[in-house]
Amino acid sequence: MTLDGRSLSLLSFFDWVLETSLMAGVLVGLVLLVKVIARNKLSPRWHYMLWLVIMARLLLPWAPESSFSVYNLLSYGQEALRTSDAPSPRPPQASPVHQETTNNAPTKTAPVETKQEPPVQTAELVEKQPVASFSLYKLAFVVWLLGAVCLGILTVAANRRVYARLAKQPVITDPGIVGLFEQCRETMAIRQSIPLITAGPISSPAVFGFLRPRVVLSDSLMNMLDDRQLRFIFYHELAHVKRKDVAVNWLMNGLLILHWFNPVLWYAYYRMREDQEIAADALALSYIGAEQKESYGHTIIRLLEHYATLYPTPGMANLSGGKQQIKRRIVMIKNYHKKSYRWSALGLASVIALSSVTLVNAKAPESASGNLSAPPVIATESSGGTSQAKKKLTIHDIPLDKNVVEAAQEELRRFLGDSQAELYEVADPDITSRWILLNKNGKGQVAIDRDTKQIVNAYVQYTWDETDAAVKKAAAEAFRQVDANKTFTAETVERQKRFAAGKSTHEWTLQSKDMIVTLDADALSERGILISYPFAQGNEKAKNAALKALQTINVGKPVTFKQADHNYSEGQYDTWKFFDDGGNYAVVIGSKTGTIKSISAYGKKDDNEANLGLLLDKDRKPIYTKEEAIAAAKPMVNKLFDIDLTGYSVEFSTENPYVHTFTKKGQPTVHATVDRTGEFWNYWVDPVDGTMND
């Protein structure tokens, strides 16, 4: 059989894949052994980094030989891993014809026959043997190549399908949620601008993409979670961004495409993804703080129970895990302390020791013609398909008039001064309907509507030392209106100006882990204050009303509130919001009147699916007719809010038909959510004037 140069190159590459795959399989066993021995001594970071040694082994085209290599213990060499097209010659043997002739021939003629026939017959047998051997080898090569090509196509197609769906999803614009997300991003020192988009078909919070990462969040989660729980989710997803987990997943998936036939590596990938999630938990907790680990754990585990789906695409890092992983995460979160994500001497020593005996090849005998895992022979012809990362866009690459850019820079100058206001880079042009212009030092940005070419908002974050003294003083005075006994502190300071309908809104936001103060940036007057307390420190009247509300909705089991949030804005609203530790129940009570403003009992039923974002299309239909919905909600609405739904009309949400909106001219608007069994579990009310005057 004749092979051209390209075929020989592919076969040589196949040899390298087989050899490397076998060595990586041995390495997986060693990693698992180290993880068992040092289970409680290694931090989550180092449990995860052990898997990166396997990736390094799979990527090495060549490695030096060493007498310390673990592969010296194996009884195989290069020839044992492949069937050569030129097998080792056998000792010469006489053919049956020759033997018969030798035995029966006269003595005088025997010497002539023994000199002529054996070479002919022996050569014929040796010529036939390699043909069968090489056919099996070639068959294995063809099967491997077809498998790799098919898996590669499926992987790319799955990723493109998810990307296409997400590309159609709108950017989340809720100022509270976006502001909270940006605070988390800045706290984690992530300079890259990251869009926050609605999840569409994806139920679980997730990070998608690594060149231009974006965080996806479902509408159901935005409605279900409070600010504290959303912050937990954002820290976890941003941990994936900070640690480049999506890029690692892509790389490992590319290696699995080449080594698709090796089940040991598939198991290693599964375990690596488990450790990846736990390491992300540990990094998130390092920013959240050990004192909130219990609340963080309840939030994550709750979401895992209802939203854990591992999408078959390497381009995504999302909440995932089976029962065993959930158990491991609970243990890690429970045992978390400040050192849980730090570098450690033991972790570093484990990685170095493992690398020193596995990233080198076995010491080949002097007579050997080659070493284990020699570099693959690649055809030198250029494929012409080299891909390059798309370059970052600058303001010179987009169709914006210089006057628009100058107006944007002028807005930043008011915030930062001339020396820091130079706009340069453009963030995420493919995913958002706006041009997001970033200034060079990364402190500020301006968003411009692509269609109208009008400025939408300007945003800057300051350190506490950079914040003007007058702003600090105004925030402290506003804070004392609500709680004169609590010390005012701020960890992040933001300034934002929004433009809409010919008007602008200009605000300062000063925030720490348990308080937020929002000020009018022009008048330095208070626009809103939120202070978080332990439940015991909440308003007594509001606490009693909240507990009574749970009894009214008939939760059916004891509920212990852990947190009380006081929301206040002079002349606008004054409410208390109470949460249990797992975020399963939340009640909002008016401070002055003690009336219920909203109540959510997500944990009332274990099988409650009312807020699950990923429902089959055939299930996305109203449970009730409009008349039935009013009749079903009427008794509880009357008990909770003292509102009679007689004469009300009802509409179903287009995004979620389980959300009902009951309206009547001149009367408060009531919203209620029903589960798929027909039971309402979530209610909130909007007064006529759109405020909560208490």
Side-chain angles (χ1 to χ4, degrees):
M1 178 176 180
T2 302
L3 297 173
D4 58 22
R6 181 172 298 180
S7 298
L8 285 172
S9 297
L10 287 174
L11 289 173
S12 180
F13 183 78
F14 180 46
D15 289 341
W16 173 75
V17 169
L18 292 176
E19 295 169 356
T20 307
S21 193
L22 181 56
M23 287 190 290
V26 173
L27 179 52
V28 170
L30 292 176
V31 168
L32 293 174
L33 181 62
V34 172
K35 286 170 64 64
V36 170
I37 295 174
R39 178 184 304 170
N40 300 322
K41 296 181 178 63
L42 289 180
S43 67
R45 175 207 289 262
W46 290 105
H47 274 283
Y48 175 59
M49 292 189 71
L50 288 172
W51 298 110
L52 303 186
V53 180
I54 297 174
M55 295 177 60
R57 176 72 264 185
L58 291 171
L59 286 169
L60 285 177
W62 174 85
E65 299 174 0
S66 171
S67 57
F68 296 103
S69 172
V70 69
Y71 309 116
N72 286 310
L73 302 177
L74 303 179
S75 58
Y76 68 88
Q78 187 176 12
E79 296 300 323
L81 287 174
R82 61 178 181 177
T83 306
S84 174
D85 57 343
S88 302
R90 296 179 179 180
Q93 296 179 355
S95 68
V97 175
H98 168 60
Q99 291 174 353
E100 182 179 352
T101 305
T102 304
N103 293 337
N104 297 329
T107 304
K108 291 182 180 180
T109 59
V112 177
E113 294 183 13
T114 55
K115 289 180 181 179
Q116 294 179 358
E117 290 204 47
V120 176
Q121 298 297 334
T122 303
E124 181 179 351
L125 289 176
V126 173
E127 184 72 26
K128 290 180 180 180
Q129 179 65 24
V131 175
S133 176
F134 186 79
S135 296
L136 293 176
Y137 175 67
K138 181 182 178 183
L139 178 61
F141 165 75
V142 171
V143 171
W144 166 78
L145 185 61
L146 287 176
V149 170
C150 291
L151 183 57
I153 292 173
L154 290 174
T155 301
V156 173
N159 191 75
R160 288 179 63 86
R161 183 165 58 251
V162 175
Y163 178 85
R165 291 181 179 179
L166 290 179
K168 299 176 182 178
Q169 299 302 316
V171 177
I172 295 173
T173 57
D174 184 291
I177 294 177
V178 174
L180 187 64
F181 177 73
E182 290 300 319
Q183 292 162 14
C184 295
R185 182 177 66 83
E186 293 293 335
T187 300
M188 297 184 75
I190 298 176
R191 286 183 170 272
Q192 185 177 11
S193 180
I194 301 172
L196 184 63
I197 63 176
T198 52
I202 300 169
S203 59
S204 167
V207 175
F208 186 79
F210 67 92
L211 291 178
R212 295 191 302 274
R214 61 221 62 166
V215 173
V216 298
L217 188 67
S218 66
D219 291 329
S220 60
L221 285 181
M222 287 187 279
N223 293 329
M224 181 185 75
L225 302 179
D226 59 63
D227 286 352
R228 180 188 58 161
Q229 294 167 322
L230 281 174
R231 187 182 292 110
F232 293 159
I233 298 303
F234 290 152
Y235 275 130
H236 178 90
E237 299 308 325
L238 288 171
H240 285 303
V241 175
K242 192 174 183 68
R243 293 165 1 96
K244 311 296 183 185
D245 285 340
V246 177
V248 172
N249 293 343
W250 262 116
L251 182 57
M252 189 61 185
N253 268 265
L255 294 170
L256 283 174
I257 289 172
L258 292 178
H259 299 269
W260 61 266
F261 53 86
N262 191 337
V264 176
L265 293 181
W266 285 100
Y267 176 71
Y269 177 63
Y270 168 77
R271 291 293 302 272
M272 185 194 83
R273 289 294 292 263
E274 281 190 347
D275 286 337
Q276 184 181 92
E277 288 298 314
I278 294 173
D281 286 335
L283 179 56
L285 283 169
S286 70
Y287 289 94
I288 295 169
E291 67 277 1
Q292 296 193 63
K293 65 182 181 181
E294 186 176 349
S295 299
Y296 176 86
H298 280 291
T299 301
I300 293 296
I301 301 308
R302 182 69 183 180
L303 293 181
L304 281 173
E305 290 175 351
H306 292 277
Y307 294 89
T309 304
L310 183 60
Y311 287 85
T313 168
M316 180 173 292
N318 64 303
L319 284 173
S320 61
K323 293 182 179 180
Q324 185 63 30
Q325 184 188 350
I326 292 176
K327 180 179 179 181
R328 289 184 62 206
R329 293 177 80 166
I330 291 174
V331 172
M332 189 284 294
I333 294 171
K334 179 181 179 181
N335 296 331
Y336 175 83
H337 51 84
K338 289 186 177 180
K339 296 182 180 180
S340 292
Y341 198 77
R342 294 180 180 176
W343 297 88
S344 70
L346 178 61
L348 184 60
S350 298
V351 171
I352 293 176
L354 196 62
S355 301
S356 64
V357 298
T358 60
L359 299 186
V360 290
N361 294 336
K363 188 72 173 178
E366 292 183 3
S367 59
S369 59
N371 64 300
L372 189 63
S373 189
V377 179
I378 308 295
T380 57
E381 299 177 22
S382 174
S383 63
T386 303
S387 61
Q388 296 180 350
K390 187 177 179 180
K391 74 166 188 174
K392 292 182 178 180
L393 288 181
T394 70
I395 58 175
H396 306 296
D397 300 320
I398 59 176
L400 280 181
D401 185 89
K402 66 178 182 179
N403 293 329
V404 176
V405 175
E406 180 57 35
Q409 292 194 145
E410 182 61 30
E411 288 297 335
L412 276 192
R413 286 192 188 103
R414 296 190 181 100
F415 291 179
L416 295 172
D418 294 345
S419 62
Q420 302 182 63
E422 184 179 357
L423 294 170
Y424 182 72
E425 188 179 337
V426 180
D428 291 298
D430 297 331
I431 202 68
T432 176
S433 60
R434 302 172 179 177
W435 297 116
I436 308 297
L437 311 184
L438 309 176
N439 73 321
K440 283 190 173 182
N441 66 2
K443 291 182 64 65
Q445 64 182 45
V446 179
I448 298 176
D449 187 282
R450 293 196 195 189
D451 297 326
T452 65
K453 304 296 189 296
Q454 298 296 311
I455 297 174
V456 178
N457 67 61
Y459 167 88
V460 170
Q461 185 168 38
Y462 301 85
T463 65
W464 180 251
D465 292 337
E466 293 171 335
T467 305
D468 188 81
V471 175
K472 296 179 181 179
K473 180 180 178 181
E477 291 176 351
F479 185 82
R480 281 194 292 270
Q481 296 179 44
V482 182
D483 191 337
N485 298 319
K486 192 175 179 66
T487 303
F488 171 79
T489 59
E491 297 170 0
T492 62
V493 181
E494 299 170 352
R495 186 180 181 185
Q496 184 166 193
K497 192 173 184 180
R498 304 182 186 89
F499 301 85
K503 298 180 180 180
S504 64
T505 303
H506 191 187
E507 292 180 339
W508 284 93
T509 301
L510 300 91
Q511 180 171 349
S512 70
K513 64 181 180 181
D514 60 356
M515 72 87 189
I516 301 175
V517 176
T518 302
L519 302 173
D520 182 294
D522 298 317
L524 293 185
S525 57
E526 170 269 320
R527 281 190 173 175
I529 297 172
L530 181 149
I531 309 175
S532 295
Y533 301 89
F535 176 71
Q537 298 178 18
N539 178 276
E540 289 298 326
K541 183 178 181 180
K543 287 195 296 184
N544 293 333
L547 294 172
K548 184 178 178 181
L550 286 183
Q551 295 174 356
T552 301
I553 204 173
N554 190 25
V555 171
K557 58 182 178 181
V559 175
T560 302
F561 285 124
K562 294 287 187 180
Q563 181 180 338
D565 285 357
H566 190 182
N567 289 271
Y568 173 84
S569 181
E570 185 177 5
Q572 296 295 317
Y573 53 82
D574 187 355
T575 64
W576 284 87
K577 187 173 184 179
F578 302 96
F579 307 93
D580 73 319
D581 203 34
N584 297 321
Y585 302 93
V587 183
V588 177
I589 303 293
S591 295
K592 296 178 181 178
T593 62
T595 57
I596 304 169
K597 299 302 177 183
S598 72
I599 182 168
S600 299
Y602 185 80
K604 183 177 179 182
K605 295 175 63 177
D606 291 338
D607 60 346
N608 191 309
E609 296 179 312
N611 243 11
L612 293 183
L614 190 62
L615 296 173
L616 297 176
D617 291 339
K618 64 183 179 65
D619 291 332
R620 281 189 171 274
K621 58 185 179 181
I623 298 294
Y624 297 120
T625 64
K626 293 185 176 182
E627 293 76 13
E628 290 171 342
I630 292 175
K634 186 175 182 179
M636 188 58 66
V637 169
N638 187 262
K639 289 181 181 179
L640 291 172
F641 307 110
D642 196 23
I643 295 174
D644 186 357
L645 290 183
T646 301
Y648 271 71
S649 61
V650 61
E651 297 296 332
F652 306 110
S653 169
T654 55
E655 296 182 357
N656 185 348
Y658 301 129
V659 177
H660 302 62
T661 300
F662 302 90
T663 58
K664 183 179 180 180
K665 186 176 181 180
Q667 297 298 318
T669 297
V670 179
H671 308 272
T673 308
V674 69
D675 65 22
R676 291 205 281 183
T677 69
E679 182 177 3
F680 284 94
W681 62 275
N682 185 28
Y683 303 85
W684 67 102
V685 61
D686 295 331
V688 179
D689 61 358
T691 64
M692 292 185 178
N693 292 316
D694 288 294

